[in-house]
Amino acid sequence: MTLAGTRQHLNIEILQHGATSWINIQQPGVAEMQYLKERFNFHQLTLDDCLSVVQMPKLDQFEDHIFLVLHFPRFNKESRITQPCEVDVFTGANYVITVHDGNLRPLTKLFQDCQASQELRDVLMSQGSGYLTYRILDTLVDYCFPILNKVIDNVNMVEEQVFETWDPNVVREMARLRHDILSYRRIVRPQFEVWEALEARRFPFLRLNPDIYFGDLADHMRRIWSELEDLKEVIEGLYDSQGSLTNLHTNDITRALTGVATVLLPFLMVSSVYGMNLDLPFADQWWAFWFIIFVSGLMSLGLWALLKLGRWV
């Protein structure tokens, strides 16, 4: 028999299927933690961890249950940066408790789908709390890949822009992508010890082979980390390439301007000399102006030919 209900005045939803319970708590407060304390007698420090603003990922193993603190990525559309979202999980012999702020849509949707579908409850909850924990974590790990794929697409797009077009905004986009990749890495890296501990340890009350199920999740996280390492190297390489291309572009502009200044140098020199208040040769002749223009033009053409022969412009 299946039961789904909401605790009055508490942000607690309970889903019961057979002997297995899934208790989902969104936006927890002191009252919700007191409820867990009275019903399950959890250690006060673990309950305090659920209310902490920032808590490092970890696995605490007790005699009859485990306590997990995990972070999963959530893309912030306003800042366009991947940010961590914490999920706390208590798993005992016949219950799973998820504590979160409600911002992870896959977790919220999975619970709602279980409420609505008898068939899904049979699949997820009939094999015990260990398998239910695995499926919850598997859903959250799978959610990491679309965000990762979006980062990969953005990096590929920036890579094309770096080598095909000249756009100063590319540098700003690369900086944002680099920030996004580093933020994603800070979410994934501290959790390796947790996934490896889940894979290696044995939890008799879960009735689950962790090497098979949790090991699969650990492999997924290693793959994500490997992709992030590659993306980090790519974006750093693009930074170096962009710097080199910028230097080349600047050198081309400088060389062109230097060539123009060199070609105009004879005109500037002659005009500055004849602009002085001195008695210069031919200054009073009508043809002196055109003669000076002609000579200056010849000198400019000679300098331009010299620059071309030396491939300086």
Side-chain angles (χ1 to χ4, degrees), residues 16 73 89 113 119 138 151 167 197 205-206 209 214 255 276:
Q16 183 75 36
V89 181
D113 290 344
E119 181 179 356
D138 183 54
V151 176
D167 188 356
F205 50 85
L206 295 186
N209 188 340
F214 295 141
R255 185 170 56 180
M276 297 179 182

Side-chain angles (χ1 to χ4, degrees), residues 245-263:
L245 292 174
T246 300
N247 290 334
L248 288 174
H249 186 67
T250 303
N251 290 339
D252 288 341
I253 295 175
T254 303
R255 185 170 56 180
L257 293 176
T258 302
V260 171
T262 303
V263 170

Side-chain angles (χ1 to χ4, degrees), residues 74-83 105:
R74 182 176 66 88
F75 187 74
N76 189 317
K77 293 183 179 180
E78 295 181 359
S79 63
R80 299 176 64 198
I81 298 297
T82 303
Q83 297 177 342
R105 293 178 58 188

